[in-house]
Amino acid sequence: MRFTYLFVTLIIFVVAQISLRAIGINFPLLPLLIFYAAYTYGPLFGFGLVIPAAFLLDFNCGWSHPWSISGFLLVAGFAVFWIQRIESDSLLLLAIPGFLIPIIGDFPQNLFAGGFSGDNILNSGADALANGVLGAVLFPFWIIILDFFGKRLGLKTYGEAKERIKKENL
């Protein structure tokens, strides 16, 4: 059931991100999903989502290479770090990964796709910071929404992930 939930959610997020880009909004939704999957269901699901997410996004955007893999791998690794190191389960603390995920998930992709010119570095950096601020505000809401649907389907939730890790380490 987890695989089906993540697959359907992946397709929804890809379509949403491509639709947003079509109207001029470049907000990276897929890194948020990859972080959620790696944190909630474990590194295997998070890293397993990287390749299909990158291929679906990059090829549907018309890029000839899956540039997103680099940023998506960083996001999955960050999720593994976050669940192992951070002790607070506060919803407000989600603003930190919400700020960092769009930056580490989208900035490398924009650099590789657009080249390493000064203008592209400046534009990509400005986009990454703006997306980071927006991500800090929206990420807690995404967690609540994804947990709501996951709980209704009888799946593990983000809120329960830290407790599962603590029980496994005892």
Side-chain angles (χ1 to χ4, degrees), residues 28-72:
L29 294 173
L30 287 173
L32 301 176
L33 178 63
I34 290 169
F35 182 89
Y36 179 83
Y39 189 98
T40 305
Y41 303 116
L44 182 64
F45 280 94
F47 285 105
L49 204 57
V50 166
I51 292 175
F55 279 97
L56 285 171
L57 177 66
D58 293 345
F59 292 140
N60 282 309
C61 286
W63 297 332
S64 59
H65 301 288
W67 301 117
S68 299
I69 286 178
S70 59
F72 291 175

Side-chain angles (χ1 to χ4, degrees), residues 51-164:
I51 292 175
F55 279 97
L56 285 171
L57 177 66
D58 293 345
F59 292 140
N60 282 309
C61 286
W63 297 332
S64 59
H65 301 288
W67 301 117
S68 299
I69 286 178
S70 59
F72 291 175
L73 286 172
L74 291 172
V75 169
F78 178 61
V80 173
F81 167 80
W82 189 258
I83 197 165
Q84 295 294 333
R85 302 290 189 272
I86 305 303
E87 292 302 322
S88 176
D89 297 331
S90 167
L91 198 59
L92 291 176
L93 192 62
L94 290 175
I96 295 170
F99 178 77
L100 293 174
I101 291 167
I103 293 171
I104 63 177
D106 204 35
F107 185 66
Q109 154 194 320
N110 290 337
L111 284 181
F112 288 131
F116 289 95
S117 68
D119 286 340
N120 187 44
I121 292 172
L122 187 60
N123 288 336
S124 296
D127 283 347
L129 288 176
N131 286 337
V133 171
L134 187 60
V137 173
L138 293 178
F139 188 60
F141 295 109
W142 281 114
I143 296 297
I144 292 169
I145 291 167
L146 291 171
D147 273 1
F148 173 79
F149 288 113
K151 191 172 208 86
R152 298 295 176 262
L153 293 170
L155 300 173
K156 298 175 185 175
T157 63
Y158 186 93
E160 299 166 348
K162 185 58 97 171
E163 282 300 316
R164 282 193 315 273

